[in-house]
Amino acid sequence: MSQYYIWTIGCQMNKAESERLGSYLEQLGYQATDTAEAADIVVLNSCVVRQSAENRIINKINSLKSLRRAHPGTTLAVTGCLVNSEVDQLKKSFPYVDYFFKPGDYPPWLETPEAALVLPRQPSPGTFVPIIQGCNNFCTYCIVPYRRGRERSRPVSEIVCEVRELVRRGVKEVTLLGQNVDSYGRDLADKPDLADLLSELNAIDGLARIRFLTNHPKDMSAKLIEAIANLDKACKQISLPVQSGSDDILKAMRRGYTVAQYRRLVNTIRDKIPGVALSTDVIVGFPSENEQQFQQTVDLLSELRFDTVHVAAYSPRPGTIAARKFEDNIPLAEKRRRLNIIEQLQEGIAAEINARLLGKTVEILVEGKVKDKWQGRTRSGKLVFCNNSADCLGQLLNIKIERTSPWSLQGYSIK
Ligand code: SF4
């Protein structure tokens, strides 16, 4: 039997697309293998969000040269964010690669499988479903719009049909993915939005939970907040990247909102959706960020007290507006210092938020086992470990929490 090998780096979108690509190849009769050397088709799924990721994928493509020499019959292909409009340039740089194809597409040299839906045969209980590709926002530090292109939404009917089939195959939870899920549907003829899509998915029997990411603070609508509050399957968890607590830095980033607008949005969400878990992203050391501007970010995080904060030190991404216009003038040691301050602050906040769950009972969807413990997530996205001798994969369990930390919870299952 012919075999395929897919190598993936990057975000959940890339992982979801690789999973689909694997299913596509399996429907054509290929079987997965763990090594490129054993494969008839090798696909590298690339990420170029950071320069370090781009370096990794370039090294990986370079390593295909020896594979090509040893196995001249193997088909070599590259997809993901590296593959932009300059495919001819890529072909020139890497002549031993047979095909470059756009993220989310399927291998153009193969026939289309007969089945209309290309889905994993045995999907995990919680599965990612891409709903919109690309981004129209052009934040100054971000390469995504240049590489993933402009926004393209999948029709509601196609997504509903896919989720129904996933549920038939055992899925209990779906996470809808997009660089900006709040733009969902704007490019479609009848202009549905994410709230409309959530309502349709909420009606699917057997589906227990719906998540989605990532939201954009300038685009999140009152209608969506109402939908999350009212739909029983919509998880009360929202990812809302703020990036900075300084209006000047937000302007330089071209984020399209002020700190006051962001604060109002968070307050509205918390009013309408009691108990909602909020996560955010922050970049420290953006060009010319001074101590006062950094302190404004620290103050905002202390005030709003997020469940989770993902913090990154700024690094210029060639090809972006920020890399062209601004000098990367914050020393690396200073960026690290700022990053550590935020990580320590957040560790304390998350420890306090999670400690409130001690002795409480939470529902988790069991998604796998780590060493001898089952692991799953609550509706609010908290990671929970528990002991249970039975096979609980894919089950919704009630867990009594007996230990908490900033990063996870532990407990035992109760009837
Ligand atoms: S909204 Fe997100 S994906 Fe789009 S440009 Fe800004 S950071 Fe990049």
Side-chain angles (χ1 to χ4, degrees), residues 4 17-30 105-113 115 117-121:
Y4 72 89
E17 284 167 2
S18 285
E19 202 173 75
R20 268 140 219 271
L21 188 56
S23 307
Y24 179 98
L25 292 167
E26 281 165 27
Q27 286 192 27
L28 291 174
Y30 289 82
D105 284 356
Y106 292 111
W109 70 97
L110 292 174
E111 60 187 293
T112 308
L117 285 171
V118 179
L119 298 174
R121 284 205 183 105

Side-chain angles (χ1 to χ4, degrees), residues 135-139 141-145 179-180 216 243 255:
C135 184
N136 292 359
N137 277 319
F138 292 91
C139 300
Y141 53 85
C142 181
I143 195 77
V144 165
Q179 264 82 31
N180 177 8
H216 196 302
Q243 305 302 8
R255 290 289 292 169

Side-chain angles (χ1 to χ4, degrees), residues 282-307:
V282 166
I283 297 172
V284 293
F286 192 79
S288 300
E289 181 192 60
N290 61 32
E291 187 57 33
Q292 192 196 355
Q293 290 164 332
F294 168 66
Q295 192 55 45
Q296 288 172 333
T297 301
V298 174
D299 292 346
L300 187 70
L301 297 179
S302 307
E303 174 197 334
L304 295 182
R305 297 175 64 80
F306 293 92
D307 291 74

Side-chain angles (χ1 to χ4, degrees), residues 116-408:
L117 285 171
V118 179
L119 298 174
R121 284 205 183 105
Q122 290 179 310
S124 63
T127 289
F128 295 116
V129 176
I131 61 166
I132 176 169
Q133 289 276 357
C135 184
N136 292 359
N137 277 319
F138 292 91
C139 300
T140 55
Y141 53 85
C142 181
I143 195 77
V144 165
Y146 305 94
R147 298 302 178 93
R148 286 248 164 196
R150 303 298 182 273
E151 290 161 356
R152 296 172 316 282
S153 307
R154 298 175 63 199
V156 171
S157 57
E158 186 181 301
I159 297 167
V160 170
C161 183
E162 177 172 318
V163 173
R164 269 208 199 102
E165 181 56 24
L166 285 168
V167 169
R168 205 185 60 76
R169 296 182 195 191
V171 166
K172 297 247 172 54
E173 174 186 303
V174 290
T175 302
L176 311 177
L177 293 179
Q179 264 82 31
N180 177 8
V181 288
D182 295 304
S183 290
Y184 174 76
R186 285 180 188 168
D187 56 318
L188 296 175
D190 46 353
K191 307 254 178 293
D193 58 22
L194 182 58
D196 299 327
L197 179 62
L198 289 180
S199 301
E200 295 276 338
L201 296 176
N202 201 70
I204 295 178
D205 287 338
L207 182 65
R209 297 166 163 194
I210 312 165
R211 300 186 198 278
F212 47 88
L213 44 97
T214 299
N215 291 90
H216 196 302
K218 83 172 165 52
D219 293 326
M220 194 171 182
S221 67
K223 181 180 168 190
L224 178 62
I225 296 169
E226 288 292 337
I228 302 166
N230 295 327
L231 296 172
D232 61 326
K233 295 178 185 174
C235 290
K236 312 311 181 212
Q237 177 199 16
I238 296 171
S239 163
L240 199 64
V242 65
Q243 305 302 8
S244 173
S246 152
D247 281 338
D248 292 336
I249 297 293
L250 288 177
K251 201 167 171 200
M253 289 175 165
R254 281 202 200 156
R255 290 289 292 169
Y257 51 85
T258 62
V259 173
Q261 286 167 329
Y262 185 89
R263 183 185 283 113
R264 266 202 300 280
L265 178 61
V266 167
N267 290 338
T268 304
I269 292 170
R270 285 182 168 156
D271 276 355
K272 299 273 181 192
I273 314 171
V276 65
L278 285 174
S279 66
T280 198
D281 295 4
V282 166
I283 297 172
V284 293
F286 192 79
S288 300
E289 181 192 60
N290 61 32
E291 187 57 33
Q292 192 196 355
Q293 290 164 332
F294 168 66
Q295 192 55 45
Q296 288 172 333
T297 301
V298 174
D299 292 346
L300 187 70
L301 297 179
S302 307
E303 174 197 334
L304 295 182
R305 297 175 64 80
F306 293 92
D307 291 74
T308 313
V309 174
H310 306 282
V311 55
Y314 173 80
S315 66
R317 186 65 191 83
T320 59
I321 301 164
R324 264 199 316 278
K325 277 182 60 177
F326 307 131
E327 188 193 343
D328 180 23
N329 55 1
I330 310 295
L332 186 58
E334 176 58 17
K335 286 178 187 168
R336 287 206 181 117
R337 185 188 74 83
R338 294 179 189 182
L339 189 136
N340 286 339
I341 288 173
I342 289 184
E343 282 187 342
Q344 278 176 24
L345 168 71
Q346 184 55 30
E347 190 177 322
I349 293 172
E352 285 171 24
I353 291 174
N354 288 353
R356 285 192 224 127
L357 292 168
L358 196 63
K360 300 252 165 61
T361 300
V362 296
E363 182 206 74
I364 66 163
L365 172 64
V366 180
E367 293 206 56
K369 211 169 190 181
V370 176
K371 294 187 183 152
D372 57 340
K373 287 190 165 40
W374 291 103
Q375 72 165 48
R377 288 195 182 265
T378 65
R379 285 180 172 263
S380 60
K382 307 274 180 209
L383 181 62
V384 179
F385 295 95
C386 70
N387 291 314
N388 196 321
S389 50
D391 181 0
C392 343
L393 186 67
Q395 288 182 26
L396 292 161
L397 296 182
N398 287 322
I399 306 292
K400 181 116 174 172
I401 299 300
E402 52 184 358
R403 265 190 23 221
T404 70
S405 80
W407 303 281
S408 64

